[in-house]
Amino acid sequence: MVYFDNAATTRVKEEVLEAMLPVFTDNFGNASSTYTTPGQRARKALSDARRTVAAALNAEEREIFFTGGGSESDNWAIKGYALKNKSKGNHIITTAVEHHAVLHTCEFLEKHGFEVTYLPVDEEGAVSAEQVRAAIRPDTLLVSVMFANNEIGTINPIAEIGAVCREKGVAFHTDAVQAVGAVPIDVKAMNIDMLSASGHKFHGPKGIGVLYIKKGLRLDNLIHGGAQENGRRAGTENIPGAVGLAKALSIAVETMEEKTAKLTAMRDKIIDTILAEVPYVRLNGPRENRLPNNVSICFRYIEGESLLLSLDMKGFVVSSGSACTSGSLDPSHVLLAIGLPHEIAHGSMRVSLSGENTMEEVDAFLAELPPIVRRLREMSPLFEGVEK
């Protein structure tokens, strides 16, 4: 099996698993049991993990909070800040292409008296700092713009958007779940107030995430019941998860330059070959300003699900977009937001690579893909008319 669905989740690296195992079996104490040796060891492991994550983002250790994943981090950032600071205003700005963890959270807040502006994106899926500036009102208290899109790979001008928010005195959150470990991130230089990340997107374990909260920012707690995470997130800490996330992020940052070059070469070969050899296709997102591992293509006159199943039978795992919505019959909200009609959006395929993939796997994939597309189109009455 060739796994090309790394935007959905990644394999846990052996080094990450090795770092986690002792925390399950030997160093298994509760970090809140500070007066016992096992508790002190557990607390040190948690502190070391927090310090590693902080260093990767150029944050301070006390600004890093471990969560249950990226969706929880998004919920906590948006709900927590909005509810705690509603005296400052009730207006939130986000974009039409956010992950549903952001969109559904904003819809929840709309039911509780908040107003939300959903900024449109351009045909490549990007939003500009000037759009954000124009949308800010006197009652705007929060802006949330994703760092990189999970479906089409578009990277937004986060530092510029953050600078506008800083100038206007508005808090800025970014869902960086797809970007952390893939591109360099400096929360200070990029004017980021809150940032969400998830361990399983960069070869760490599932069920563990991070929320960076700039010191001095006040949020309501999302989970109550204990004093963990400096009193801001209740519940016994997932120390094996935190250790695994930190180890995975450390590896990702250390190998980023070499990995980016490898991924970009594989990505570009897939894009160039498909555009050259398969007619009636469209690249979603920009050629350059995109994640190094992301390929998103729409194939006209076929259904994306049929393409995925056919590729799966040949041993290639890809997706039709976000793993969170792949069970839906509706086309991707991201593809609709960049202006694609339903019939084209339904023919989408996302290839998301990892550093563990090889150019040999890419070559094998590109040998199988065009014949599959031709066979599926031959069964389509719509394509028969086009050929004639």
Side-chain angles (χ1 to χ4, degrees), residues 18 26 31 40 47 67 91 99 134 136 140 151 179 207-208 227 242 246 258 302 311 364 380:
E18 289 173 6
D26 300 324
Q40 291 169 0
S47 178
T67 68
H91 181 231
H99 189 278
I136 291 177
T140 303
E151 293 191 36
I208 185 73
E258 177 185 356
I302 61 174
L311 286 167
S380 168

Side-chain angles (χ1 to χ4, degrees), residues 118-334:
Y118 298 91
L119 295 176
V121 295
D122 63 21
E123 63 181 8
E124 293 185 339
V127 67
S128 71
E130 287 308 308
Q131 280 180 275
V132 174
R133 181 186 296 276
I136 291 177
R137 311 183 323 204
D139 62 339
T140 303
L141 76 159
L142 176 65
V143 171
S144 181
V145 175
M146 70 192 331
F147 202 114
N149 189 269
N150 52 302
E151 293 191 36
I152 63 175
T154 306
I155 299 175
N156 280 306
I158 293 301
E160 291 85 350
I161 293 171
V164 168
C165 293
R166 190 67 51 87
E167 174 193 336
K168 295 293 187 179
V170 175
F172 177 47
H173 165 255
T174 183
D175 175 347
V177 166
Q178 292 292 334
V180 170
V183 296
I185 296 179
D186 183 326
V187 293
K188 290 186 173 68
M190 293 179 168
N191 308 296
I192 296 169
D193 295 315
M194 294 178 284
L195 175 145
S196 302
S198 184
H200 76 106
K201 301 297 186 179
F202 44 84
H203 299 284
K206 297 175 179 64
I208 185 73
V210 163
L211 180 62
Y212 157 75
I213 305 174
K214 186 176 182 289
K215 64 181 178 182
L217 224 60
R218 300 174 65 217
L219 278 72
D220 266 353
N221 287 4
L222 185 67
I223 299 176
H224 302 84
Q228 291 85 0
E229 293 299 289
N230 199 27
R232 303 183 79 167
R233 182 189 185 270
T236 300
E237 300 93 343
N238 177 6
I239 300 177
V243 168
L245 182 150
K247 180 66 174 179
L249 183 55
S250 176
I251 295 170
V253 171
E254 289 170 3
T255 61
M256 188 176 294
E257 185 175 353
E258 177 185 356
K259 182 179 64 177
T260 297
K262 177 183 177 182
L263 290 172
T264 301
M266 292 191 293
R267 177 200 71 187
D268 289 348
K269 183 166 188 179
I270 294 173
I271 293 173
D272 292 340
T273 303
I274 292 175
L275 294 182
E277 297 185 6
V278 183
Y280 310 110
V281 299
R282 182 192 191 279
L283 174 67
N284 304 315
R287 276 305 305 252
E288 301 299 329
N289 192 37
R290 71 187 301 135
L291 290 171
N293 73 328
N294 175 282
V295 176
S296 176
I297 301 276
C298 278
F299 297 83
R300 299 190 68 177
Y301 312 113
I302 61 174
E303 289 287 331
E305 287 74 13
S306 299
L307 180 59
L308 264 59
L309 290 170
S310 298
L311 286 167
D312 187 65
M313 292 174 65
K314 293 291 186 179
F316 298 96
V317 179
V318 300
S319 78
S320 59
S322 168
C324 303
T325 58
S326 59
S328 172
L329 295 177
D330 295 327
S332 157
H333 71 287
V334 174

Side-chain angles (χ1 to χ4, degrees), residues 19-35:
M20 294 173 64
L21 284 175
V23 195
F24 283 113
T25 57
D26 300 324
N27 187 12
F28 57 86
N30 189 318
S32 297
S33 304
T34 55
Y35 297 105

